Amino acid sequence: MNVRTLQATYFARGIPAPLTATQLISLHLYLYRPRGEENSSDPLFGPYISALPRNFDGHPLTWLVEPAISIEENSLLETLPPSVYDALQQLHTRFLEDWTAVSEFMRTNSTTIEQLSIHANRDSQISLVDFVWAWLTVNTRCIYYRLKASKSDPDNLTMCPILDFANHTTVLPHITPVPTNADLWDAAPIKRLGDDFSFISPGDATIKAGEELYLTYGSHSNRTLFVEYGFVNQNFEDAVSKMNCEEAEGEVHVQDIVEQLISPDTPFGSIIKNVLCDEGYWGDWTLHALPKPAHPSYRLITALRLYHHAIAHHSVQEDILKPWRDVIMGLRENISGINEAQWRQSLVNICDTLIARAEPHIRVRSEREDKLWYSRISSNIETLWIEENAVAMTVKTSILRGEEF
Ligand SMILES: C[S@@+](CC[C@H](N)C(=O)[O-])C[C@H]1O[C@@H](n2cnc3c(N)ncnc32)[C@H](O)[C@@H]1O
């Protein structure tokens, strides 16, 4: 199910599609969402839609959007690490943008929608709750598939029955997509519905009968996996139980903490932000456990260097900024020994903040026997905090050991 297979149902031939692939597929699923235990009435993809998950009760976007959300779900949202909550808000914004576009399309194409709805068996009332289900179905199950001439075209995606049963793994996937000819030659696919889509199994892994086949969705952090897909890799929990955090992959976003340093309320905060934005270094500041030594991202070091340099000189005049610009252009290694010591100390403070706020959330997961997903999500949230805590501790150790990054 993709823009090519759905286009003719919704748009006149030759007219540029007014909806993105995500919006179009979500609209189709929204219209044909199965009611209760019934099958989907979609004449095109009904059997496939009927086999999809019937709800996303355990997904954090559902808790944000559903009006009748219970106290338990609300309290889980409140226990998310700030960087994860932030990412969830961004997902929510994307969702609302798509909902706005789809609602507008339904309003301006009411005749088409009414004709479809004869088969669609849906409530006439526009329902945000149904759209969350449709949109999350797309967001958690779509796969990259080259349909358009440009490889970065956002419409290069498809829903793919059977393949979308595959769960994610970070270690050796059992099924790996083979680049199509269109991918290899960076050209439009020859066939209208895209080139053949094939997969290989790795030569260095043995798959036994009955074993689960995994895909790798991408090299995503737990924050992204949780917000986009509603689960986390348990690697940090496993590592903690084996007292081996130093070997576990881990990443922490520190946007909210750094934004408190560089805020409009702090000296030069707004100007420092503008300089970082202009140079492309604003935001996406992270700490990483691997590869060793555990380290801050170069973006974070660059932002902290500028902050301390401006504060030390009480100025952000161009001549003062020059040594900082020289560092990012590779003309010098650092601004000064003092500046290096200052940003390293502020990184220790950032790690201490992370450690202090993570600790109360560890070993406090809740169990609910009446809601199957509740204990799972509660444990996922604890894993997110364990990861924040462990990555902060390992980065702090690196700094105190005097590691160079
Ligand atoms: C494309 S579906 C994968 C198949 C899924 N089990 C199903 O048939 O509904 C993606 C969803 O599967 C679940 N999932 C995938 N990989 C997982 C993993 N490693 N651990 C836990 N849940 C996972 C998440 O709920 C995710 O949103």
Side-chain angles (χ1 to χ4, degrees), residues 141-183:
R141 305 183 85 82
C142 261
I143 187 156
Y144 179 86
Y145 182 49
R146 184 71 174 267
L147 287 166
K148 296 294 183 89
S150 160
K151 69 174 160 206
S152 57
D153 193 312
D155 287 349
N156 285 330
L157 54 87
T158 193
M159 301 278 288
C160 185
I162 311 232
L163 176 63
D164 68 358
F165 287 142
N167 280 338
H168 166 81
T169 181
T170 46
V171 289
L172 202 59
H174 294 119
I175 35 180
T176 311
V178 180
T180 61
N181 279 335
D183 287 321

CSV table of all heavy atoms in Angstrom, one decimal, residues 141-183:
chain,number,residue,atom,x,y,z
A,141,ARG,N,4.9,0.8,10.7
A,141,ARG,CA,5.0,-0.4,9.8
A,141,ARG,C,5.5,-0.1,8.4
A,141,ARG,O,5.7,-1.0,7.6
A,141,ARG,CB,3.7,-1.1,9.7
A,141,ARG,CG,3.1,-1.4,11.0
A,141,ARG,CD,1.7,-2.2,10.9
A,141,ARG,NE,1.9,-3.6,10.7
A,141,ARG,CZ,2.1,-4.4,11.7
A,141,ARG,NH1,2.2,-4.0,12.9
A,141,ARG,NH2,2.3,-5.7,11.4
A,142,CYS,N,5.7,1.2,8.1
A,142,CYS,CA,6.2,1.5,6.7
A,142,CYS,C,7.6,1.2,6.5
A,142,CYS,O,8.4,1.2,7.5
A,142,CYS,CB,6.0,3.0,6.4
A,142,CYS,SG,4.5,3.2,5.5
A,143,ILE,N,8.0,0.9,5.3
A,143,ILE,CA,9.4,0.6,5.0
A,143,ILE,C,9.8,1.5,3.8
A,143,ILE,O,9.0,1.8,3.0
A,143,ILE,CB,9.6,-0.9,4.8
A,143,ILE,CG1,11.1,-1.2,4.6
A,143,ILE,CG2,8.9,-1.4,3.6
A,143,ILE,CD1,11.5,-2.6,4.9
A,144,TYR,N,11.1,1.8,3.8
A,144,TYR,CA,11.6,2.6,2.7
A,144,TYR,C,11.5,1.8,1.4
A,144,TYR,O,11.9,0.6,1.4
A,144,TYR,CB,13.1,3.0,2.9
A,144,TYR,CG,13.7,3.8,1.8
A,144,TYR,CD1,13.5,5.2,1.7
A,144,TYR,CD2,14.3,3.2,0.7
A,144,TYR,CE1,14.0,5.9,0.6
A,144,TYR,CE2,14.9,3.9,-0.3
A,144,TYR,CZ,14.7,5.3,-0.4
A,144,TYR,OH,15.2,6.0,-1.5
A,145,TYR,N,10.9,2.4,0.4
A,145,TYR,CA,10.8,1.7,-0.9
A,145,TYR,C,10.8,2.7,-2.0
A,145,TYR,O,10.0,3.6,-2.1
A,145,TYR,CB,9.4,0.9,-0.9
A,145,TYR,CG,9.2,0.1,-2.2
A,145,TYR,CD1,10.2,-0.7,-2.7
A,145,TYR,CD2,8.0,0.2,-2.8
A,145,TYR,CE1,9.9,-1.5,-3.8
A,145,TYR,CE2,7.7,-0.5,-4.0
A,145,TYR,CZ,8.7,-1.4,-4.5
A,145,TYR,OH,8.5,-2.1,-5.6
A,146,ARG,N,11.8,2.5,-2.9
A,146,ARG,CA,12.1,3.5,-4.0
A,146,ARG,C,10.9,3.5,-5.0
A,146,ARG,O,10.8,2.6,-5.8
A,146,ARG,CB,13.4,3.2,-4.6
A,146,ARG,CG,13.9,4.2,-5.6
A,146,ARG,CD,14.3,5.5,-4.9
A,146,ARG,NE,14.8,6.4,-5.9
A,146,ARG,CZ,16.1,6.6,-6.1
A,146,ARG,NH1,17.0,5.8,-5.4
A,146,ARG,NH2,16.6,7.4,-7.0
A,147,LEU,N,10.1,4.6,-5.0
A,147,LEU,CA,9.1,4.7,-6.0
A,147,LEU,C,9.3,5.9,-6.9
A,147,LEU,O,8.8,6.0,-8.0
A,147,LEU,CB,7.7,4.9,-5.3
A,147,LEU,CG,7.1,3.7,-4.6
A,147,LEU,CD1,6.0,4.1,-3.7
A,147,LEU,CD2,6.6,2.7,-5.7
A,148,LYS,N,10.1,6.9,-6.4
A,148,LYS,CA,10.2,8.2,-7.1
A,148,LYS,C,11.6,8.3,-7.6
A,148,LYS,O,12.6,7.7,-7.2
A,148,LYS,CB,9.9,9.3,-6.1
A,148,LYS,CG,8.4,9.3,-5.6
A,148,LYS,CD,7.5,9.6,-6.8
A,148,LYS,CE,6.1,9.7,-6.4
A,148,LYS,NZ,5.6,11.0,-6.0
A,149,ALA,N,11.8,9.3,-8.5
A,149,ALA,CA,13.1,9.5,-9.1
A,149,ALA,C,14.2,9.9,-8.1
A,149,ALA,O,15.3,9.5,-8.2
A,149,ALA,CB,13.0,10.6,-10.2
A,150,SER,N,13.8,10.7,-7.2
A,150,SER,CA,14.8,11.2,-6.2
A,150,SER,C,14.8,10.3,-5.0
A,150,SER,O,13.8,9.9,-4.4
A,150,SER,CB,14.4,12.6,-5.7
A,150,SER,OG,15.1,12.9,-4.5
A,151,LYS,N,16.0,9.9,-4.5
A,151,LYS,CA,16.1,8.9,-3.4
A,151,LYS,C,15.6,9.5,-2.1
A,151,LYS,O,15.2,8.8,-1.2
A,151,LYS,CB,17.5,8.3,-3.3
A,151,LYS,CG,18.6,9.2,-2.8
A,151,LYS,CD,19.8,8.4,-2.6
A,151,LYS,CE,21.0,9.3,-2.7
A,151,LYS,NZ,22.2,8.7,-3.1
A,152,SER,N,15.6,10.9,-2.0
A,152,SER,CA,15.2,11.5,-0.8
A,152,SER,C,13.7,11.9,-0.8
A,152,SER,O,13.2,12.5,0.1
A,152,SER,CB,16.1,12.7,-0.5
A,152,SER,OG,16.0,13.6,-1.5
A,153,ASP,N,13.0,11.5,-1.9
A,153,ASP,CA,11.6,11.9,-1.9
A,153,ASP,C,10.8,11.2,-0.8
A,153,ASP,O,10.9,10.0,-0.6
A,153,ASP,CB,11.0,11.4,-3.3
A,153,ASP,CG,9.7,12.0,-3.5
A,153,ASP,OD1,8.8,12.0,-2.6
A,153,ASP,OD2,9.4,12.5,-4.7
A,154,PRO,N,10.1,12.0,0.0
A,154,PRO,CA,9.4,11.4,1.2
A,154,PRO,C,8.4,10.4,0.8
A,154,PRO,O,7.9,9.7,1.7
A,154,PRO,CB,8.8,12.6,1.9
A,154,PRO,CG,8.8,13.7,0.9
A,154,PRO,CD,9.9,13.5,-0.1
A,155,ASP,N,8.0,10.4,-0.4
A,155,ASP,CA,7.0,9.4,-0.9
A,155,ASP,C,7.6,8.0,-1.1
A,155,ASP,O,6.8,7.1,-1.5
A,155,ASP,CB,6.2,9.9,-2.1
A,155,ASP,CG,5.3,11.0,-1.8
A,155,ASP,OD1,5.1,11.2,-0.5
A,155,ASP,OD2,4.8,11.6,-2.7
A,156,ASN,N,8.9,7.9,-0.9
A,156,ASN,CA,9.5,6.5,-1.1
A,156,ASN,C,9.2,5.6,0.1
A,156,ASN,O,10.2,5.3,0.8
A,156,ASN,CB,11.0,6.7,-1.3
A,156,ASN,CG,11.4,7.2,-2.7
A,156,ASN,OD1,10.7,7.0,-3.7
A,156,ASN,ND2,12.5,8.0,-2.7
A,157,LEU,N,8.0,5.3,0.3
A,157,LEU,CA,7.7,4.3,1.4
A,157,LEU,C,6.5,3.5,1.0
A,157,LEU,O,5.7,3.9,0.2
A,157,LEU,CB,7.6,5.1,2.7
A,157,LEU,CG,6.6,6.2,2.9
A,157,LEU,CD1,5.2,5.7,3.2
A,157,LEU,CD2,7.1,7.1,4.0
A,158,THR,N,6.4,2.4,1.7
A,158,THR,CA,5.3,1.5,1.4
A,158,THR,C,4.9,0.7,2.6
A,158,THR,O,5.8,0.4,3.5
A,158,THR,CB,5.6,0.5,0.2
A,158,THR,OG1,4.4,-0.1,-0.2
A,158,THR,CG2,6.6,-0.6,0.6
A,159,MET,N,3.7,0.3,2.7
A,159,MET,CA,3.3,-0.7,3.7
A,159,MET,C,3.5,-2.1,3.0
A,159,MET,O,3.2,-2.2,1.8
A,159,MET,CB,1.8,-0.6,4.0
A,159,MET,CG,1.4,0.7,4.6
A,159,MET,SD,1.7,0.8,6.3
A,159,MET,CE,0.5,-0.2,7.0
A,160,CYS,N,4.0,-3.1,3.6
A,160,CYS,CA,4.3,-4.3,3.0
A,160,CYS,C,3.8,-5.5,3.8
A,160,CYS,O,4.5,-5.8,4.8
A,160,CYS,CB,5.8,-4.4,2.7
A,160,CYS,SG,6.3,-5.8,1.7
A,161,PRO,N,2.7,-6.1,3.4
A,161,PRO,CA,2.2,-7.3,4.2
A,161,PRO,C,3.3,-8.3,4.4
A,161,PRO,O,4.1,-8.5,3.6
A,161,PRO,CB,1.0,-7.8,3.4
A,161,PRO,CG,0.7,-6.7,2.5
A,161,PRO,CD,1.9,-5.9,2.2
A,162,ILE,N,3.2,-9.0,5.5
A,162,ILE,CA,4.1,-10.1,5.9
A,162,ILE,C,5.5,-9.5,6.4
A,162,ILE,O,5.9,-9.8,7.5
A,162,ILE,CB,4.3,-11.2,4.8
A,162,ILE,CG1,3.0,-11.6,4.3
A,162,ILE,CG2,5.2,-12.3,5.4
A,162,ILE,CD1,2.6,-13.0,4.3
A,163,LEU,N,6.1,-8.7,5.5
A,163,LEU,CA,7.4,-8.2,5.9
A,163,LEU,C,7.2,-7.3,7.2
A,163,LEU,O,8.1,-7.3,8.1
A,163,LEU,CB,7.9,-7.3,4.8
A,163,LEU,CG,9.2,-6.5,5.1
A,163,LEU,CD1,10.4,-7.5,5.4
A,163,LEU,CD2,9.6,-5.6,4.0
A,164,ASP,N,6.0,-6.7,7.3
A,164,ASP,CA,5.8,-5.8,8.5
A,164,ASP,C,5.5,-6.6,9.8
A,164,ASP,O,5.3,-6.0,10.8
A,164,ASP,CB,4.8,-4.7,8.2
A,164,ASP,CG,3.4,-5.3,8.0
A,164,ASP,OD1,3.2,-6.5,8.1
A,164,ASP,OD2,2.4,-4.5,7.8
A,165,PHE,N,5.6,-7.9,9.7
A,165,PHE,CA,5.5,-8.7,11.0
A,165,PHE,C,6.9,-8.7,11.6
A,165,PHE,O,7.0,-9.1,12.8
A,165,PHE,CB,5.1,-10.1,10.7
A,165,PHE,CG,3.7,-10.3,10.4
A,165,PHE,CD1,3.3,-11.2,9.4
A,165,PHE,CD2,2.7,-9.6,11.0
A,165,PHE,CE1,1.9,-11.4,9.1
A,165,PHE,CE2,1.4,-9.7,10.7
A,165,PHE,CZ,1.0,-10.6,9.7
A,166,ALA,N,7.9,-8.3,10.9
A,166,ALA,CA,9.3,-8.4,11.4
A,166,ALA,C,9.6,-7.4,12.5
A,166,ALA,O,9.4,-6.2,12.3
A,166,ALA,CB,10.3,-8.3,10.3
A,167,ASN,N,10.0,-7.9,13.6
A,167,ASN,CA,10.5,-7.0,14.7
A,167,ASN,C,11.9,-6.5,14.5
A,167,ASN,O,12.6,-7.1,13.6
A,167,ASN,CB,10.4,-7.8,16.1
A,167,ASN,CG,9.0,-7.9,16.6
A,167,ASN,OD1,8.2,-7.0,16.3
A,167,ASN,ND2,8.7,-8.8,17.4
A,168,HIS,N,12.3,-5.5,15.3
A,168,HIS,CA,13.6,-4.9,15.1
A,168,HIS,C,14.6,-5.5,16.0
A,168,HIS,O,14.4,-6.0,17.1
A,168,HIS,CB,13.4,-3.4,15.5
A,168,HIS,CG,14.7,-2.7,15.8
A,168,HIS,ND1,15.4,-2.2,14.7
A,168,HIS,CD2,15.4,-2.4,16.9
A,168,HIS,CE1,16.5,-1.6,15.2
A,168,HIS,NE2,16.5,-1.7,16.5
A,169,THR,N,15.9,-5.6,15.5
A,169,THR,CA,17.0,-6.0,16.3
A,169,THR,C,18.2,-5.1,16.0
A,169,THR,O,18.3,-4.6,14.9
A,169,THR,CB,17.4,-7.5,16.0
A,169,THR,OG1,18.5,-7.8,16.8
A,169,THR,CG2,17.8,-7.7,14.6
A,170,THR,N,19.1,-5.0,17.0
A,170,THR,CA,20.3,-4.2,16.7
A,170,THR,C,21.4,-5.1,16.3
A,170,THR,O,22.4,-4.6,15.8
A,170,THR,CB,20.7,-3.4,18.0
A,170,THR,OG1,20.7,-4.3,19.1
A,170,THR,CG2,19.9,-2.2,18.3
A,171,VAL,N,21.3,-6.4,16.6
A,171,VAL,CA,22.4,-7.3,16.3
A,171,VAL,C,21.9,-8.0,15.0
A,171,VAL,O,20.8,-8.2,14.7
A,171,VAL,CB,22.7,-8.3,17.4
A,171,VAL,CG1,23.3,-7.7,18.5
A,171,VAL,CG2,21.4,-9.0,17.8
A,172,LEU,N,22.9,-8.5,14.2
A,172,LEU,CA,22.7,-9.2,13.0
A,172,LEU,C,21.3,-9.5,12.6
A,172,LEU,O,20.6,-10.4,13.1
A,172,LEU,CB,23.4,-10.5,13.2
A,172,LEU,CG,23.8,-11.2,11.9
A,172,LEU,CD1,24.8,-10.3,11.0
A,172,LEU,CD2,24.5,-12.5,12.1
A,173,PRO,N,20.7,-8.7,11.7
A,173,PRO,CA,19.4,-9.0,11.2
A,173,PRO,C,19.3,-10.2,10.4
A,173,PRO,O,20.3,-10.6,9.7
A,173,PRO,CB,19.0,-7.7,10.4
A,173,PRO,CG,20.3,-7.2,9.9
A,173,PRO,CD,21.3,-7.6,11.0
A,174,HIS,N,18.2,-10.9,10.4
A,174,HIS,CA,18.1,-12.1,9.5
A,174,HIS,C,17.7,-11.8,8.1
A,174,HIS,O,17.8,-12.6,7.3
A,174,HIS,CB,17.1,-13.1,10.2
A,174,HIS,CG,17.6,-13.6,11.5
A,174,HIS,ND1,16.9,-13.4,12.7
A,174,HIS,CD2,18.7,-14.3,11.8
A,174,HIS,CE1,17.6,-13.9,13.7
A,174,HIS,NE2,18.7,-14.5,13.2
A,175,ILE,N,17.0,-10.7,8.0
A,175,ILE,CA,16.6,-10.3,6.6
A,175,ILE,C,17.0,-8.9,6.3
A,175,ILE,O,16.7,-8.0,7.0
A,175,ILE,CB,15.1,-10.4,6.4
A,175,ILE,CG1,14.3,-10.1,7.7
A,175,ILE,CG2,14.6,-11.8,6.0
A,175,ILE,CD1,12.8,-10.2,7.6
A,176,THR,N,17.8,-8.8,5.2
A,176,THR,CA,18.3,-7.5,4.9
A,176,THR,C,17.9,-7.1,3.5
A,176,THR,O,18.0,-7.8,2.5
A,176,THR,CB,19.9,-7.5,4.9
A,176,THR,OG1,20.3,-8.2,6.1
A,176,THR,CG2,20.5,-6.2,4.7
A,177,PRO,N,17.2,-5.9,3.4
A,177,PRO,CA,16.8,-5.5,2.0
A,177,PRO,C,18.0,-5.3,1.1
A,177,PRO,O,19.0,-4.8,1.4
A,177,PRO,CB,16.1,-4.1,2.3
A,177,PRO,CG,16.0,-3.9,3.7
A,177,PRO,CD,17.0,-4.9,4.4
A,178,VAL,N,17.8,-5.7,-0.2
A,178,VAL,CA,18.8,-5.5,-1.2
A,178,VAL,C,18.5,-4.2,-2.0
A,178,VAL,O,17.3,-4.1,-2.3
A,178,VAL,CB,18.8,-6.7,-2.2
A,178,VAL,CG1,19.8,-6.6,-3.3
A,178,VAL,CG2,18.9,-8.0,-1.5
A,179,PRO,N,19.4,-3.4,-2.2
A,179,PRO,CA,19.1,-2.1,-2.9
A,179,PRO,C,18.6,-2.5,-4.3
A,179,PRO,O,19.1,-3.4,-4.9
A,179,PRO,CB,20.5,-1.4,-3.0
A,179,PRO,CG,21.4,-2.1,-2.0
A,179,PRO,CD,20.8,-3.4,-1.8
A,180,THR,N,17.6,-1.8,-4.7
A,180,THR,CA,17.0,-2.0,-6.0
A,180,THR,C,17.9,-1.4,-7.1
A,180,THR,O,18.8,-0.6,-6.8
A,180,THR,CB,15.6,-1.4,-6.2
A,180,THR,OG1,15.7,0.0,-6.0
A,180,THR,CG2,14.6,-2.0,-5.1
A,181,ASN,N,17.6,-1.7,-8.4
A,181,ASN,CA,18.4,-1.0,-9.4
A,181,ASN,C,18.2,0.5,-9.4
A,181,ASN,O,19.2,1.2,-9.6
A,181,ASN,CB,17.9,-1.5,-10.8
A,181,ASN,CG,18.5,-2.8,-11.2
A,181,ASN,OD1,19.6,-3.2,-10.6
A,181,ASN,ND2,17.8,-3.6,-12.0
A,182,ALA,N,17.0,1.0,-9.0
A,182,ALA,CA,16.8,2.4,-8.9
A,182,ALA,C,17.7,3.0,-7.8
A,182,ALA,O,18.2,4.1,-8.0
A,182,ALA,CB,15.3,2.7,-8.6
A,183,ASP,N,17.9,2.2,-6.7
A,183,ASP,CA,18.7,2.7,-5.7
A,183,ASP,C,20.2,2.7,-6.2
A,183,ASP,O,20.9,3.7,-5.9
A,183,ASP,CB,18.7,1.8,-4.4
A,183,ASP,CG,17.3,2.0,-3.7
A,183,ASP,OD1,16.9,3.2,-3.6
A,183,ASP,OD2,16.8,1.0,-3.2
